Amino acid sequence: SDLVRRLEAEAIHDALLAVSGRLDPALGGPPVPVHLTEFVIGRGRPDQSGPLDGHGRRSLYTALRRNFLPTTLQAFDFPTPFSTVGRRNVTNVPAQSLAVMNDPFFHQQAELWARRLLKEHPQADLPTRVRALFLQAYHRSPTQPELEACRATLAELKAFHASEPGDSSEIGPWIDFCHALLNANEFIYLP
């Protein structure tokens, strides 16, 4: 079939943790309280918010409260626990692209992923690092045109970060680049 299928909300969450190196594969244990943003309001709001990354636990371990659901998961058609759901909705709406671009969880995991890259490949050249990222995110190597596009993008990101006052670290361009790879359709869609 030529149809692509978007990953379910929980799989997107868990894939982010996997590529960043933050995924805790442990089975069982207590549920992790849901992360509450300033937009999650209402009567009965829990007193404490869980961590943004859910302690690295798979989304399966997120404690759900009916009126206080994880906002990142909701953008990707996470079913509301008001009643049983025989088949999930599968939408393709602008809110999903906005979530990938702006959600703090995506930004957090992009930074962790970039830090993981530089720790695992401290002396590597650019093609080696880009290949490592492609393998982690897409389970394939980049094509030659993709590698050239990545080289050009990273050069622009380095120039941008070099022009920013007080930004002399190597990490900034790689964080932005990792975030861009997470924004690609290939990360959340299956062929």
Side-chain angles (χ1 to χ4, degrees):
S1 152
D2 290 339
L3 296 176
V4 295
R5 180 174 61 90
R6 199 196 70 229
L7 293 174
E8 293 177 333
E10 299 93 328
I12 293 169
H13 175 274
D14 296 356
L16 281 167
L17 294 172
V19 298
S20 74
R22 180 71 176 111
L23 182 67
D24 176 356
L27 299 177
V32 179
V34 70
H35 176 73
L36 301 172
T37 68
E38 65 272 20
F39 305 110
V40 180
I41 56 174
R43 198 176 57 156
R45 185 179 198 266
D47 294 334
Q48 292 195 336
S49 174
L52 180 60
D53 72 350
H55 293 306
R57 301 299 312 273
R58 291 174 48 213
S59 55
L60 171 70
Y61 296 107
T62 302
L64 294 180
R65 305 239 343 224
R66 194 167 62 169
N67 294 329
F68 305 99
L69 300 173
T71 53
T72 304
L73 296 182
Q74 283 184 293
F76 295 98
D77 304 314
F78 184 71
T80 55
F82 300 125
S83 63
T84 57
V85 176
R87 179 177 291 176
R88 289 184 183 216
N89 291 331
V90 179
T91 62
N92 185 7
V93 296
Q96 292 161 350
S97 294
L98 291 170
V100 174
M101 284 192 302
N102 299 314
D103 190 285
F105 180 59
F106 277 84
H107 282 275
Q108 178 193 57
Q109 296 309 302
E111 180 174 347
L112 288 172
W113 189 22
R115 291 188 185 286
R116 172 187 178 191
L117 173 75
L118 297 183
K119 182 179 176 186
E120 292 177 357
H121 302 279
Q123 304 301 322
D125 61 6
L126 185 142
T128 301
R129 287 178 174 176
V130 170
R131 281 187 196 97
L133 293 174
F134 266 68
L135 284 171
Q136 290 166 345
Y138 310 140
H139 301 283
R140 66 173 181 84
S141 291
T143 64
Q144 194 58 38
E146 286 173 329
L147 191 55
E148 291 309 315
C150 291
R151 188 185 309 275
T153 299
L154 279 158
E156 290 178 21
L157 289 170
K158 286 179 182 179
F160 172 76
H161 280 272
S163 70
E164 290 287 300
D167 188 352
S168 61
S169 70
E170 181 188 14
I171 191 80
W174 288 104
I175 293 171
D176 290 348
F177 185 72
C178 287
H179 190 237
L181 293 179
L182 297 177
N183 273 265
N185 282 346
E186 192 169 354
F187 186 71
I188 62 172
Y189 286 89
L190 298 175

